[in-house]
Amino acid sequence: MIFVVLGTHELPFTRLLKEVERLQQTGVITEEVVVQVGHTPYKSDTMKLIPFMSYSEMENYFDEARLIITHAGTGSIITGVKKGKTVIAAARLSKYAEHNDDHQIEISETFSQAGHILSVVDLNDLEKKLEQAKDFEPVPFKSGRDQMIKLIDEFIQTI
């Protein structure tokens, strides 16, 4: 199963769903596709569309999925990477009124350059990324949280 995650941003990301559905219709994607669509209005006969779901439902879909295709939001990317999943992150772009700016390009490319995910900016590349995903071995994500807490604690101790 492929789990497509659009997050909760109020602007629609229809462009990604159209491309996923096109790839289903051409036989590139042959397995079940479940989509957390958020605020993106869309109708499909080939994908299971769920507007919003609870945290535990999201966790279950992340766990069950073979592949995650997500908008390039940090929460969605990190959830997939922490679970050891192959993640393809597609940036929402301001020129298509999918976001207020293009920060998702920077997010997806940073995670991609670190070897954690595959990044897509031009959705015409999604088919190629799906092929690459078959052999992709993501670099495990290591949070810098503990180091940050240590630095803050050391700073507080000096005050």
Side-chain angles (χ1 to χ4, degrees):
M1 182 261 291
I2 295 175
F3 186 36
V4 179
V5 181
L6 301 189
T8 58
H9 188 69
E10 67 274 5
L11 294 173
F13 198 11
T14 309
R15 194 168 53 95
L16 177 59
L17 297 183
K18 285 181 178 178
E19 182 60 12
V20 170
E21 193 164 49
R22 185 189 73 76
L23 293 172
Q24 283 182 304
Q25 292 167 348
T26 59
V28 172
I29 295 175
T30 58
E31 62 198 287
E32 177 187 17
V33 176
V34 176
V35 184
Q36 179 273 314
V37 293
H39 294 285
T40 300
Y42 199 79
K43 292 188 185 320
S44 174
D45 294 329
T46 59
M47 298 183 286
K48 179 179 180 180
L49 306 175
I50 305 169
F52 297 97
M53 53 186 75
S54 70
Y55 180 81
S56 63
E57 288 173 306
M58 285 286 286
E59 287 285 308
N60 287 339
Y61 280 112
F62 270 100
D63 289 339
E64 292 174 22
R66 176 190 66 79
L67 173 70
I68 310 296
I69 300 173
T70 183
H71 72 124
T74 54
S76 301
I77 291 171
I78 289 173
T79 300
V81 171
K82 280 184 174 181
K83 291 181 174 291
K85 299 293 181 171
T86 297
V87 175
I88 298 173
R92 292 172 174 263
L93 301 178
S94 62
K95 72 180 180 181
Y96 298 114
E98 297 162 344
H99 219 301
N100 308 324
D101 59 30
D102 290 332
H103 71 279
Q104 286 197 350
I105 295 172
E106 188 174 349
I107 291 168
S108 66
E109 289 181 353
T110 299
F111 277 96
S112 179
Q113 288 168 2
H116 300 304
I117 67 168
L118 297 168
S119 176
V120 173
V121 175
D122 181 346
L123 285 179
N124 291 322
D125 295 334
L126 183 57
E127 182 173 352
K128 180 173 62 175
K129 295 297 178 176
L130 287 168
E131 186 61 33
Q132 290 175 359
K134 293 176 183 176
D135 298 318
F136 183 71
E137 293 289 333
V139 172
F141 178 75
K142 185 174 180 183
S143 172
R145 180 181 165 269
D146 292 339
Q147 181 64 23
M148 290 295 292
I149 291 171
K150 181 181 174 195
L151 289 170
I152 293 168
D153 187 49
E154 288 172 357
F155 175 76
I156 292 170
Q157 297 303 321
T158 63
I159 296 178

